[in-house]
Amino acid sequence: MIRAIGQMLGAVGVIFSIVYLAAQIRNQNKESRRAAMNVLTSHWSDLNKTLVENPEMAVLFLRAMKSFEELDGVSKLRVGAHLGRFLRFADSLYLGVLDGTLDRRLWRGYERTLADTAAYPGFQTWWATRKHWHTDEFCELIDRHIQTAKPKIFDGYNLP
């Protein structure tokens, strides 16, 4: 009888250990996701620093959104490189959403930024020749935004 009680207590101990281990793993996963989202947010902010810290680049970007074709070659390269970085990062974020790594609530803000940018004719000109650089899933997302978004975010931004 003492042996049976000992085995039962041992089994209960194993069950508690498993439950504790599961809770620890769950908390560790949450913390890892939080840390990953913080890193992503930091990278997104760093990407946008280009426009904030470089007034000339900001002017080029606004001009490019209206008409990418009217830019000279060097300006096209600069804006195109910025858009390329922006969209490569967004493509990675979107794959994170699709596989459940990135919280959809955080993604919604990024997606709204993409939709606002994709609405402009200059972006659409650039995108048409470079979309093959991105995942099929991301291309479908951007193409949907191009079909539905209305250019408005940069309305009223006067160029010098």
Side-chain angles (χ1 to χ4, degrees), residues 132-148:
H132 63 281
W133 293 348
H134 297 277
T135 62
D136 293 340
E137 296 86 351
F138 188 71
C139 288
E140 290 172 14
L141 174 76
I142 296 298
D143 289 342
R144 271 194 318 269
H145 285 309
I146 286 172
Q147 296 301 317
T148 60

Side-chain angles (χ1 to χ4, degrees), residues 68-108:
F68 189 77
E69 288 304 316
E70 289 183 16
L71 297 178
D72 63 79
V74 172
S75 297
K76 284 180 182 178
L77 181 62
R78 290 180 72 195
V79 172
H82 177 75
L83 287 171
R85 287 179 61 217
F86 172 67
L87 291 179
R88 176 64 54 215
F89 186 71
D91 195 343
S92 297
L93 290 177
Y94 188 55
L95 291 177
V97 168
L98 295 178
D99 74 9
T101 306
L102 182 66
D103 190 314
R104 286 188 179 274
R105 295 171 298 179
L106 182 61
W107 167 250
R108 279 188 220 113

Side-chain angles (χ1 to χ4, degrees), residues 1-12:
M1 179 125 164
I2 293 174
R3 190 178 302 158
I5 291 172
Q7 287 178 346
M8 188 168 65
L9 289 175
V12 168

Side-chain angles (χ1 to χ4, degrees), residues 35-49:
M37 287 193 298
N38 287 339
V39 167
L40 294 173
T41 301
S42 176
H43 285 296
W44 185 268
S45 294
D46 289 345
L47 181 61
N48 287 310
K49 276 185 185 179

Side-chain angles (χ1 to χ4, degrees), residues 14-71:
V14 168
I15 291 171
F16 280 130
S17 295
I18 291 172
V19 168
Y20 176 78
L21 182 60
Q24 290 296 90
I25 290 171
R26 183 176 178 200
N27 286 338
Q28 185 179 17
N29 286 342
K30 278 184 181 179
E31 198 54 45
S32 293
R33 286 182 73 180
R34 253 188 235 114
M37 287 193 298
N38 287 339
V39 167
L40 294 173
T41 301
S42 176
H43 285 296
W44 185 268
S45 294
D46 289 345
L47 181 61
N48 287 310
K49 276 185 185 179
T50 303
L51 300 178
V52 173
E53 294 177 350
N54 185 337
E56 179 189 346
M57 186 62 188
V59 169
L60 282 177
F61 182 81
L62 289 172
R63 286 192 177 131
M65 290 301 97
K66 291 182 180 185
S67 175
F68 189 77
E69 288 304 316
E70 289 183 16
L71 297 178

